[in-house]
Structures are given as C-alpha cells and as structure tokens.
Amino acid sequence: MVKKIWNTILFVWMSGVIVGAFIWATQQKALKEYTRIIYFHVPVSWITVLAFLIAAVYSFLYLKKRLLKYDAYAEAANQLGFLFAVLATVTGSIWAKVSWGTFWNWDPRETSIFILLLIYAAYFALRSAIEEQDRRAILSSVYAILAFVTVPFFVFIVPRIYFSLHPDPVINQTGEVNMDFKQRVVFFSSLITFTAVFVWMLKTKFEIAVMRLRIKKLEREK
Amino acid sequence: MNPVYVVMIINLIIWAGIFGYMLNLSKHMSALRKKLNKLSDNEH
Amino acid sequence: MRKAWLILQKDIQQEFKTRFAVNAILLFAVVTLTAVSFSIGTYSASQEILAALLWIILFFSAMSGLSHIFVREEETHTADTLKLVALPVNVFWGKFFFNLILLILVEIIIIPLYFAVMNFVVIHTSFFILVMLLGSLGLTGGGTMVAAIISKASAKGALFTVLSFPILLPVLVSAISATNSAVGNDPVSLTGNAIQTMIAYDVVIITASVLLFDFVWNE
C-alpha cells in the first residue's frame, strides 16, 4: 500500500516535471529551445556519477565485511550506472549534433563520459573473466575503488586543461547555478525525480540480487 | 527540424530507456521468483 | 622499507637470470617505434603529434611488460612464500620500484632513439625530464596495481590493457599536454595545470594502491 502511494506520487511528480520543463520554464537566451534539454540530460549524467559512487561505497563495504550481498549490490549499481551513462551519451550526442554540428567531437565532458563507459566495460570484463565467486568479488571491488579515485580527475581537472564547448553559463566550474527562479524550480525538481526513479530501480535490482544469491544457496544445499 | 522535436526525442529516448530496462527487470524478477518458489517447495 | 629493498633486489637478480621482462618491454617499444616511424616518415609529422605518439609508444610498452612481475610470482608459485615472509606494503613497494626502474630503463633507450629517428626536438630539457619522471611514476603506480589484480584473475594478460587504460588516462592526457609545452608548442607557464594534475594523480593513485594492495595480495 505504502509502495503504491509512493509510486503514484512519483508518477504525478514526474509528469509535473515534464510539463513544467516544456511549458512553464523560461528559455535561456543563448540556448533558446534547447534549454529544455538541461532538465533531462543533466540529471541523467548526475545519476551516472551517483551510481558510480554507490558502487564504490558497496565495494568498500564488501572489502570490510566480506558479505557477498554487498558485492552483488555494487554490481547492480554499476549496471544501472552503465544504463544511465549510455542514455547520457546518446542524448548528449544528439544535442551535440544539433548545436555544434557533429555527433562527437571529444569535448572534455564527452571524454569523461566515454572514459566512464570504458571503466564500466572493463569492470564487467573483469567480472566475466573470474569464475570463483569470492575472488571475483574481491578483485572487482578493488578495481571499482581504484577506478573511482581517478574519476575526480575526469570530472574536475581534465575539463580545465582543455577548452570546453559545454554551455558554461548554466552550470559552471564554481558550482554556481545561473538560472532564473522558474528554471531553477524545474531543474531541481527534475533532479529529485530522476534520483527517486534511480533509487527505485536500484532497490529492484537489489531485490533481484538477493533472490539470485538465495537461489544459488538453495541449489548448493541440494 | 524544429528544436522542440529534438528536445522531445531526447526526452523520449531517456524515458524509453528507463522503462525498457524496468520492464526487462520485472520479467527477470518474476522468472526468479518462480524458480525460488519451486526450489523452496521441493525442500518441504 | 628494508624488506621492500630486499624484494626489489631479489626481483632484479631473478630478472638478470632470464632478462625476460626487459627484453619483452624493450623489443615491444622498438617494434612500435619502428612501425610508427615507417608509417609516418621522418619529416612529415608535427611536434604536437610526435609528443602524443611518444606517450602512446611508452604506454603500450608499459602495458606489455609491467604485468610480468606478478604473473611470474603466480607461475612459479613463489607468491605464497612471499606472503609469509613480507608485509603486503613491502611487497607492493618492491614490485613498484622494480617496474619503475624497468620503465625508466626503457625510456633511457627509447627516447634518444625517438629523437634520432623522428626528428623530435625538445626545447626545455629539464622540464621534459620532469614530465617524463612524473608520467612514469603515474604509469607504474596504476600499472602495478592493475597488474596485481590481473595476476589473480584467470585471463592473464589479455585484460591488462583494457583495465589499465581508463585508470591511466588522466596521467597520459596531462603528460601529453605537458610534453607539448616541453617541445615548444605552448609556453611552459601555461601548463602548470598539467604538472599539478600529474603530481596529484601520482599521489592519489600510489596511496590508493598501497591501501588496496593488501586485499588483492592476501586474497
């Protein structure tokens, strides 16, 4: 029952954000109609980083407590992060096509999302290479943490070395948000919605992971 | 192409991706649940 | 630290017997250099491209040789003995310095060759040496740790480059941009950022490796 209420709230909120983004919010001068992309593209990118953080936290917990559950959680978070990274890449490159003329031009942000995709791919490749459960859990946890400590370099430092085409006035290096009131409302509600959807998906993935572990245990007992 | 359509396409891609993934997950979950029930039934 | 020194000595002695790692990494570097030189020719490439190519050669050479040190321990089954006699931290430092020496040795041979063959001209020599040192530190730091992971995984070697590349990319990118200023394309004053990034990266990756090595080694 409680779950149903939450789902309804999430659904209404989500629709509200979409309607608000398309009708209510004003447009940025330099970006015109494309302002609206920010309300969807940026939250998706944010979730990619969030998923990566959660995966690193669970990897750390696994190394501390040695419960296979945590390793399964880290894998689940990474799989979701991969999905969102792909969505951010696809939507970003469509935007790049319409506003910069090419689908891909190694803008620092594009580089960082691409590297994130590579890290995810490497993580899954490592997992698939190891048969033994505990060994796989340890090695992939270590790799996830090692990869995570290099992420700040892509997100904050590399974009400073190279010139970026990404519209800085909207969200810039210093963390200021240059938006008017309406834009701000829609942007932050969208951020909250996407995070809520992500949490929901993550919970579902966790449930599946726990079920898998239980099945494996039951099968071994037989 | 009208910019609004571009924005709409981008939006649709995101939601389609999320919903597609969730549908896949729920299919997965019901299959797992079936298997789990079968396994625990056999035990008793 | 004394134990680390002993492990380093042991590895160097062992390496002297077979010279496998040195030969593999050095020949790989020479082969790549030859391939690059053949396909580009002597005078056609700009200094900017040459700076990037130098780092690509060094990166792939490092990838061909750095994993050897751990794979050998696993193959000869000496890892267990080593676990008994030394702390993981000391093992890591021993292996790290071995790889660092290996990489610097390769650089000492490859870079003069690169100058001669590719018509590569460095204007700020001391700056260039600093960049090479910082870059090598970063490459070995991340490379040694990933090599430890790989040696425990069943698919040896094949995954090494795939796993290392995303982790080593920050140091590669900033090293290339700093080398660009060393050859005189950009003024040196502009690349303070790249040098800072490399120093920060070296510190972060080596610290993280030291802390995480315990888990991999005693797995």
Side-chain angles (χ1 to χ4, degrees):
Chain A
M1 190 60 201
V2 181
K3 209 174 170 188
K4 227 170 204 171
I5 293 173
W6 272 113
N7 285 355
T8 320
I9 290 175
L10 189 58
F11 183 76
V12 171
W13 189 253
M14 215 157 73
S15 322
V17 166
I18 295 173
V19 170
F22 276 93
I23 295 165
W24 188 58
T26 46
Q27 294 172 13
Q28 200 87 14
K29 255 193 206 135
L31 295 168
K32 295 197 188 97
E33 205 63 62
Y34 297 126
T35 321
R36 309 193 195 290
I37 292 173
I38 293 160
Y39 309 127
F40 305 104
H41 174 69
V42 176
V44 168
S45 323
W46 140 252
I47 282 172
T48 315
V49 178
L50 182 68
F52 207 56
L53 170 73
I54 290 174
V57 169
Y58 277 116
S59 302
F60 181 74
L61 276 178
Y62 174 77
L63 290 179
K64 278 260 138 165
K65 304 234 165 94
R66 298 293 161 113
L67 292 173
L68 273 178
K69 190 175 74 176
Y70 289 130
D71 175 58
Y73 287 177
E75 192 195 9
N78 268 335
Q79 281 166 344
L80 274 185
F82 185 70
L83 168 77
F84 278 91
V86 168
L87 288 178
T89 315
V90 170
T91 54
S93 85
I94 292 174
W95 182 13
K97 178 67 187 170
V98 293
S99 58
W100 307 333
T102 47
F103 281 112
W104 199 263
N105 47 14
W106 294 114
D107 172 85
R109 293 266 172 253
E110 287 180 341
T111 312
S112 43
I113 196 89
F114 181 72
I115 299 305
L116 221 51
L117 282 173
L118 271 185
I119 291 177
Y120 282 129
Y123 176 84
F124 297 134
L126 178 65
R127 289 192 77 92
S128 65
I130 311 168
E131 291 282 325
E132 202 191 325
Q133 216 169 14
D134 289 309
R135 179 175 280 203
R136 175 173 60 205
I138 293 173
L139 295 183
S140 53
S141 297
V142 169
Y143 186 73
I145 296 173
L146 197 66
F148 183 74
V149 299
T150 63
V151 164
F153 289 95
F154 299 116
V155 179
F156 300 111
I157 297 172
V158 173
R160 276 186 200 197
I161 298 182
Y162 291 98
F163 171 72
S164 173
L165 285 169
H166 255 77
D168 240 13
V170 181
I171 294 162
N172 48 24
Q173 301 283 357
T174 47
E176 283 171 58
V177 183
N178 263 332
M179 295 179 177
D180 68 14
F181 174 69
K182 282 181 176 180
Q183 288 171 338
R184 215 176 281 212
V185 168
V186 175
F187 177 70
F188 284 108
S189 1
S190 171
L191 216 55
I192 293 167
T193 327
F194 271 91
T195 312
V197 170
F198 170 68
V199 170
W200 181 35
M201 291 172 90
L202 199 61
K203 269 177 133 175
T204 320
K205 290 280 300 185
F206 283 2
E207 262 176 66
I208 288 181
V210 170
M211 271 159 78
R212 275 230 181 91
L213 283 176
R214 218 192 294 157
I215 285 176
K216 237 180 212 162
K217 210 178 145 201
L218 281 174
E219 275 175 344
R220 212 175 300 143
E221 276 167 8
K222 266 206 272 182
Chain B
M1 204 161 37
N2 195 330
V4 176
Y5 292 115
V6 177
V7 180
M8 251 163 73
I9 287 169
I10 285 178
N11 204 351
L12 278 177
I13 287 174
I14 291 176
W15 291 115
I18 290 174
F19 278 109
Y21 196 81
M22 284 306 268
L23 273 179
N24 200 14
L25 273 190
S26 89
K27 233 164 75 187
H28 225 87
M29 205 157 160
S30 49
L32 278 177
R33 201 163 271 156
K34 237 187 213 161
K35 208 171 165 189
L36 198 63
N37 282 337
K38 221 168 149 192
L39 275 171
S40 46
D41 277 351
N42 286 350
E43 251 177 31
H44 298 305
Chain C
M1 248 7 231
R2 227 184 68 83
K3 278 263 171 71
W5 172 241
L6 283 177
I7 289 169
L8 176 63
Q9 271 183 326
K10 178 220 99 183
D11 277 330
I12 289 174
Q13 272 169 11
Q14 222 171 357
E15 181 55 38
F16 252 107
K17 271 184 215 150
T18 57
R19 288 189 214 89
F20 175 76
V22 174
N23 283 339
I25 192 172
L26 197 62
L27 284 177
F28 190 94
V30 170
V31 166
T32 332
L33 176 60
T34 319
V36 166
S37 175
F38 262 135
S39 49
I40 288 184
T42 315
Y43 291 100
S44 53
S46 71
Q47 296 288 317
E48 203 167 22
I49 292 173
L50 289 180
L53 278 176
L54 175 63
W55 277 101
I56 290 170
I57 291 174
L58 285 178
F59 171 75
F60 281 105
S61 313
M63 289 303 99
S64 77
L66 292 193
S67 67
H68 176 69
I69 187 85
F70 287 108
V71 174
R72 184 172 63 199
E73 296 283 2
E74 293 293 322
E75 273 172 359
T76 53
H77 304 288
T78 45
D80 293 328
T81 332
L82 206 55
K83 265 178 215 167
L84 288 177
V85 296
L87 285 173
V89 186
N90 294 332
V91 176
F92 178 79
W93 284 118
K95 305 291 183 196
F96 171 77
F97 282 114
F98 179 82
N99 274 344
L100 188 65
I101 290 169
L102 191 65
L103 193 63
I104 288 178
L105 209 73
V106 169
E107 280 170 9
I108 288 172
I109 296 170
I110 280 298
I111 292 171
L113 260 179
Y114 196 76
F115 282 133
V117 177
M118 303 299 286
N119 200 32
F120 186 58
V121 184
V122 165
I123 295 172
H124 310 284
T125 317
S126 51
F127 183 73
F128 180 73
I129 291 170
L130 174 72
V131 171
M132 293 319 284
L133 269 179
L134 286 176
S136 315
L137 266 177
L139 278 188
T140 5
T144 306
M145 188 59 203
V146 176
I149 295 178
I150 284 300
S151 73
K152 298 277 177 184
S154 45
K156 294 193 173 89
L159 274 177
F160 189 38
T161 318
V162 178
L163 291 187
S164 314
F165 181 68
I167 287 183
L168 293 179
L169 203 71
V171 76
L172 263 185
V173 165
S174 32
I176 288 170
S177 114
T179 311
N180 253 331
S181 4
V183 298
N185 277 329
D186 309 318
V188 173
S189 56
L190 268 183
T191 47
N193 256 336
I195 294 292
Q196 276 169 16
T197 309
M198 281 162 85
I199 293 172
Y201 178 88
D202 292 352
V203 171
V204 165
I205 203 77
I206 290 171
T207 316
S209 302
V210 168
L211 292 177
L212 289 171
F213 185 73
D214 194 6
F215 297 109
V216 177
W217 184 243
N218 283 330
E219 171 268 337

